[in-house]
């Protein structure tokens, strides 16, 4: 006869794993990692929950060079629009809107962000007037709250992406190109494995190439 504890254990073992994913739409490395985790969804039983964070918020009090500061000024708009879409239309729109934005910004190499936002909203069937939030701080409190929910799990010295594997969060993985098929699944398995060890913090090496978009 199966005990209650055995039944609960079995349910936990068969339940879909959860990945919480924090991204800034302008970060190319977050984009690479997001395409990997979309591949993982095809080969592993996982559920991805998408969350917005902000490179502009992360770096607003830091001493950074003028060129990167100018880049961050552009980062406000897409992040604010994703946050507004989440606030007004629910969590389910975040992933599709990110894909629509990111496809244009990263492999598409688009920098006309107003047009990108308008096209992305139309693609996923969201109201065009959400674009007005790109230049508004009206919902910045909730944007910062979402950002803080991710960064508080990993520390201020990292960036985007942040991925929580069943509740244990890391910066990364930082990868290029994004693995496909079972290769993507094997990388997921490895991330889950190290996340199970409470004292594991990082593995790192110097990047020798930029993002490879396909």
């Amino acid at each position: 006869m199966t005990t209650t504890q055995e039944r609960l254990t079995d349910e936990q073992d068969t339940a879909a794993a959860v990945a919480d994913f924090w991204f800034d739409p302008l970060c190319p490395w977050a984009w690479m990692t997001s395409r990997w985790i979309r591949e993982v969804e095809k080969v592993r039983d996982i559920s991805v929950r998408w969350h917005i964070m902000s490179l502009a918020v992360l770096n607003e009090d830091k001493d950074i060079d003028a060129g990167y500061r100018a880049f961050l000024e552009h980062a406000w708009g897409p992040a604010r629009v994703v946050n507004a879409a989440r606030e007004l239309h629910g969590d389910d729109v975040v992933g599709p809107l990110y894909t629509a934005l990111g496809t244009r910004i990263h492999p598409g190499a688009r920098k006309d962000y107003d047009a990108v936002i308008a096209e992305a909203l139309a693609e996923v069937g969201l109201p065009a007037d959400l674009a007005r939030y790109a230049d508004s701080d009206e919902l910045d409190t909730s944007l910062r709250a979402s950002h803080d929910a991710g960064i508080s799990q990993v520390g201020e010295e990292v960036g985007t992406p942040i991925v929580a594997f069943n509740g244990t969060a890391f910066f990364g993985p930082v990868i290029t190109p994004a693995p496909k098929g079972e290769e993507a699944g094997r990388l997921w398995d490895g991330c889950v494995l190290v996340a199970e060890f409470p004292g594991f913090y990082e593995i790192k090496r110097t990047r020798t190439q930029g993002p490879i978009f396909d």
Side-chain angles (χ1 to χ4, degrees):
M1 183 175 181
T2 303
T3 67
T4 300
Q5 183 58 50
E6 288 172 335
R7 177 174 55 78
L8 291 174
T9 300
D10 288 343
E11 289 175 355
Q12 291 171 350
D13 289 343
T14 57
V18 175
D20 286 286
F21 194 109
W22 282 265
F23 64 92
D24 183 301
L26 256 62
C27 177
W29 294 106
W31 176 253
M32 298 303 301
T33 306
S34 74
R35 297 311 92 184
W36 158 68
I37 212 161
R38 293 302 300 269
E39 281 290 309
V40 176
E41 288 182 295
K42 301 175 184 177
V43 296
R44 295 292 186 271
D45 186 16
I46 71 166
S47 174
V48 181
R49 297 186 297 212
W50 300 94
H51 309 275
I52 191 67
M53 64 180 294
S54 170
L55 288 172
V57 171
L58 182 66
N59 291 281
E60 62 185 347
D61 296 322
K62 296 181 180 178
D63 183 17
I64 58 177
D65 66 67
Y68 190 50
R69 181 66 68 191
F71 166 79
L72 293 179
E73 287 301 312
H74 294 297
W76 280 109
R80 281 170 165 163
V81 170
V82 172
N83 182 62
R86 177 185 63 86
E87 283 279 282
L88 301 175
H89 298 276
D91 292 336
D92 290 346
V93 305
V94 175
L97 181 55
Y98 177 33
T99 293
L101 289 166
T103 299
R104 290 166 171 81
I105 293 169
H106 300 298
R110 300 269 299 276
K111 297 186 185 302
D112 50 338
Y113 298 115
D114 289 344
V116 163
I117 288 169
E119 292 172 17
L121 290 171
E123 179 180 322
V124 299
L126 286 168
D129 63 2
L130 284 172
R132 75 174 183 83
Y133 289 95
D135 298 314
S136 170
D137 62 3
E138 183 177 342
L139 298 178
D140 279 6
T141 298
S142 60
L143 171 60
R144 290 174 183 274
S146 180
H147 173 90
D148 290 344
I151 207 71
S152 65
Q153 299 184 59
V154 292
E156 294 287 340
E157 70 275 10
V158 302
T160 174
I162 294 168
V163 184
F165 302 90
N166 294 326
T168 301
F170 296 101
F171 165 59
V174 177
I175 48 177
T176 190
K180 302 291 193 298
E182 184 57 23
E183 187 179 26
R186 290 179 59 223
L187 178 57
W188 165 264
D189 296 339
C191 291
V192 171
L193 181 63
V194 298
E196 292 175 353
F197 183 70
F200 180 85
Y201 291 102
E202 67 177 316
I203 294 175
K204 190 171 183 177
R205 61 177 174 170
T206 300
R207 279 174 279 185
T208 57
Q209 59 182 343
I212 300 172
F213 304 123
D214 46 31

